[in-house]
Amino acid sequence: MADGGGWSTIESDEGVFTSLIENLGVKDVQFEELISLDADTIRSLSPVYGVIFLFKWIRETQQPSTSTSSTTSPPSGTYDTDPSPNLFFANQTIQNACGTQAILSVILNNDSSSSSSSNNPYPINIGPELHSFKDFTAGFPPDLRGEALSNSELIRSAHNAFARASPFVDETVRNNQDEEGDVYHFIAYTPVDGKLYELDGLQPHPISHGGCTAEEFPEKVIEVLRQRIARYPEGETRFNLMAVVRDLRVTAKEIGDVEALEREERKRRAWAWENTLRRSNFVGFIGEVLKGVVGMKEKQGEGKYEEWVEKAKGETQRKLMRSGKADVC
């Protein structure tokens, strides 16, 4: 897999993912974070197009390459080496793209042109740009489809719009790892043509987990996720799960639920504010505040600035001593 190549790390956040697909032209779809692994929670959000799962990546004992000729079995499920031509699956060929790739794995398998949409009364309107991209890559093998995705200026720009603003770190050369150096990865689960698919760009093929209708999806996907989580050490909790659902504002309007509609509108306003903060660089602002404070102290008279600094040092030392973290001489 190539290096970052201009793709930044982005947060696993429902507001980020919802705004990202809206920037790509997708209509009436949103992401909802799930805080419990139970089918009823997923079903309460119906229609649900799929889920995005974030987890700490660990090298399996038989981790396959992304070569399309690989026949190594996955840890669970089976490789579908001859999937329906209607299934959108792309290998991940570039670093940091896994979040957006997982999102598109759900979106592009539930649009109005997908065969699975015939059983879905609410197929996704993916907009003209993604429709053109899907048509263009329709006959590509997974590796070339992944290259096309990685080189799409439209998709990369929408993805990078939610990178953290920092004057000190180039997000395009970071990978999805935390402060401890653990690497995290996004994958998608969605029902397509009567099967539950795990769509992981680091795998050579889509992984089938058996028969699954849209109605059975909540129970089936929870079972698969629990099996996957069980492979981790006991006590591991660093997972994140988001459902890809129809815009809850649309549903609220259809049933006349004014309270739910207002709740969703407040959520959207909060997302917009948070996304604005993510794109903002506050270093200059902080610098100006500090200059103002220093200037104010200097105007108070000679030695006031030094006195203020020493007082701050003393307060910090007292806090450290109370927390047991101060050095003992």
Side-chain angles (χ1 to χ4, degrees), residues 196-210:
L196 172 58
Y197 278 104
E198 175 183 328
L199 302 175
D200 178 354
L202 296 183
Q203 299 288 345
H205 309 284
I207 298 173
S208 171
H209 289 280

Side-chain angles (χ1 to χ4, degrees), residues 65-80:
S65 70
T66 55
S67 168
T68 55
S69 62
S70 173
T71 57
T72 306
S73 297
S76 64
T78 57
Y79 285 132
D80 190 342

Side-chain angles (χ1 to χ4, degrees), residues 172-192:
T172 65
V173 298
R174 288 164 55 97
N175 55 23
N176 291 334
Q177 65 180 26
D178 63 8
E179 294 177 355
E180 298 177 359
D182 293 324
V183 178
Y184 291 83
H185 184 53
F186 293 92
I187 60 175
Y189 292 89
T190 187
V192 180

Side-chain angles (χ1 to χ4, degrees), residues 12-39:
S12 178
D13 179 85
E14 55 191 2
V16 167
F17 286 2
T18 301
S19 298
L20 191 158
I21 62 170
E22 289 177 346
N23 289 351
L24 288 171
V26 178
K27 305 294 185 184
D28 298 336
V29 175
Q30 73 180 67
F31 290 78
E32 280 290 303
E33 186 170 3
L34 302 174
I35 59 175
S36 61
L37 275 178
D38 69 272

